[in-house]
């Protein structure tokens, strides 16, 4: 092996380690933790499975070390709690790695949905316990109080912590499967896109994965009736005022179905925005307006409802092939 090859391998290793470090720090940041899989996916898509494995190991070591240090700083370090805190990122990293595996008999979308199902089943007992475990809620509230107190802001930390924990538990219970779905699917797409854009190659290699265009995303017609059934199940659960497991299942299944059609709605918008007749300014401003809408409760609700409606109505209205539409 000559000097040039050794330098190329060192640059690739440095890129993989850097991706892992970025992934770990994103997870520990809280506010950007939802994106921690993206750098790992970029490594896999750009440089292959071995690169992704290196990035995953580095990311997990950073997450485990950071979680341990944070628990020591907050004075409630416990080895079992540390293992519990490290389990979610470990499972998500493993799921992402499996989604990228070469299994021709199983389409990628099927692998994503199967990974979401398995991770949701693993999380289900913890979520059910979380809602009823007063000791856990008290511990979590104390953790939030410590964080608020360390911020130096003059706030009613006890009342604020209790309200934040209550809202967080409600949101997590109703949509934890959706969070898993969007983290896995979104990270796979964005990481692959970044690898494609940058050519992911310090050594001149081409990206391993091809990225599907958002404008081409379309849900198979056979998903229509299962989705309508899941939404009917949620409606029935709300009418009958179901509680516990049944309500949790109804919300998660219905929101997952809505998310899939919401993605198709985004595909419709992307297709229409890229028509030649659409002004370039509108093409740039509309995505920014949709993102800004999520900072307001009312407008975010409109977007979250409107996108799935747009997606599912394409079953009857061919938005991407309307007669007389500009091309």
């Amino acid at each position: 092996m000559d000097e040039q090859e050794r330098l190329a391998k060192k640059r690739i290793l440095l890129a993989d380690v850097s991706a892992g470090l970025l992934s770990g720090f994103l997870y520990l940041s809280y506010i950007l933790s939802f994106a921690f899989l993206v750098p790992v996916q970029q490594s896999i898509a750009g440089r292959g499975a071995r690169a992704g494995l290196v990035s995953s190991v580095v990311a997990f070591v950073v997450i485990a070390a950071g979680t341990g240090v944070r628990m020591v700083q907050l004075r409630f370090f416990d080895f079992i709690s540390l293992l519990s805190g490290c389990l979610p990122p470990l499972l998500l990293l493993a799921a992402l790695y499996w989604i990228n595996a070469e299994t021709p008999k199983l389409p990628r979308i099927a692998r994503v949905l199967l990974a979401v199902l398995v991770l949701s089943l693993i999380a289900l007992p913890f979520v059910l316990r979380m809602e009823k475990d007063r000791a856990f809620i008290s511990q979590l509230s104390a953790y939030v109080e410590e964080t608020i107190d360390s911020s130096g802001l003059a706030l009613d930390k006890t009342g604020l912590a209790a309200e934040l924990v209550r809202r967080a538990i409600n949101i997590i219970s109703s949509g934890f499967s959706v969070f898993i779905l969007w983290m896995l699917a979104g990270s796979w797409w964005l990481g692959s896109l970044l690898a494609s854009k940058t050519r992911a190659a310090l050594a001149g290699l081409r990206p391993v994965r091809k990225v599907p265009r958002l404008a081409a995303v379309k849900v198979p017609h056979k998903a229509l009736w299962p989705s309508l059934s899941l939404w009917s199940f949620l409606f029935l659960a709300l009418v009958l005022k179901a509680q516990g497991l049944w309500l949790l299942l109804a919300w998660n299944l219905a929101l997952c179905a809505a998310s899939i059609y919401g993605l198709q709605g985004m595909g419709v918008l992307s297709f229409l925005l890229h028509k030649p007749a659409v002004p370039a300014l509108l093409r740039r401003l509309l995505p920014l307006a949709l993102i800004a809408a999520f900072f307001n409760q009312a407008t975010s609700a409109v977007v979250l409802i409107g996108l799935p409606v747009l997606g599912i109505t394409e079953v009857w209205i061919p938005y991407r092939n309307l007669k007389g539409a500009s091309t």
Side-chain angles (χ1 to χ4, degrees), residues 168-301:
I169 289 176
N170 287 339
I171 293 172
I172 292 171
S173 299
S174 299
F176 67 92
S177 293
V178 182
F179 298 150
I180 296 171
L181 173 62
W182 279 101
M183 280 191 70
L184 290 176
S187 296
W188 179 86
W189 183 80
L190 183 56
S192 299
L193 180 65
L194 290 173
S196 179
K197 292 290 186 183
T198 62
R199 311 307 269 176
L202 293 176
L205 301 175
R206 290 184 174 272
V208 177
R209 305 290 182 194
K210 288 186 177 181
V211 189
R213 292 171 55 246
L214 181 59
V217 171
K218 198 168 185 180
V219 179
H221 284 288
K222 59 185 177 182
L224 174 63
W225 288 108
S227 298
L228 292 175
S229 299
L230 292 175
W231 295 332
S232 299
F233 178 42
L234 174 61
F235 178 75
L236 185 62
L238 293 174
V239 169
L240 297 177
K241 298 182 179 180
Q243 298 294 328
L245 177 62
W246 291 109
L247 185 61
L248 185 148
L249 289 174
W251 269 114
N252 279 276
L253 291 171
L255 289 176
C256 280
S259 293
I260 293 172
Y261 278 102
L263 183 60
Q264 179 164 323
M266 292 168 62
V268 171
L269 286 179
S270 178
F271 179 86
L272 296 176
L273 283 175
H274 282 85
K275 284 184 172 291
V278 176
L281 182 62
L282 179 61
R283 192 175 296 137
R284 291 182 175 88
L285 288 181
L286 185 57
L288 293 175
L290 290 176
I291 294 172
F294 284 97
F295 291 92
N296 179 274
Q297 188 173 359
T299 54
S300 63

Side-chain angles (χ1 to χ4, degrees), residues 3-145:
E3 186 65 22
Q4 188 175 2
E5 289 180 350
R6 281 196 294 268
L7 288 174
K9 286 193 173 183
K10 286 181 180 179
R11 286 198 296 269
I12 292 173
L13 179 61
L14 179 61
D16 298 335
V17 172
S18 299
L21 290 171
L22 177 58
S23 175
F25 290 132
L26 284 174
Y27 186 87
L28 295 172
S29 71
Y30 289 140
I31 192 170
L32 295 175
S33 58
F34 64 89
F36 90 101
L37 293 174
V38 174
V40 175
Q41 175 60 33
Q42 187 175 1
S43 290
I44 298 173
R47 297 181 291 278
R50 182 177 295 180
L53 183 60
V54 172
S55 297
S56 297
V57 171
V58 172
F60 181 73
V61 170
V62 171
I63 291 169
T67 303
V69 169
R70 187 168 287 161
M71 292 175 69
V72 170
Q73 290 176 339
L74 295 173
R75 298 188 296 276
F76 65 90
F77 180 85
D78 177 73
F79 187 68
I80 301 299
S81 299
L82 177 62
L83 290 179
S84 299
C86 293
L87 183 60
L90 178 62
L91 291 174
L92 287 166
L93 287 167
L96 183 69
Y97 200 80
W98 180 70
I99 289 169
N100 284 278
E102 294 294 342
T103 54
K105 293 183 179 180
L106 198 60
R108 197 174 311 280
I109 183 61
R111 273 177 272 165
V112 171
L113 294 177
L114 186 56
V116 172
L117 175 61
V118 171
L119 292 181
S120 297
L121 290 174
I122 293 173
L124 182 59
F126 296 96
V127 173
L128 289 172
R129 181 184 173 186
M130 176 183 65
E131 292 181 315
K132 301 176 181 178
D133 191 339
R134 294 188 176 182
F136 170 78
I137 293 174
S138 298
Q139 186 182 36
L140 188 60
S141 297
Y143 179 83
V144 175
E145 285 181 26

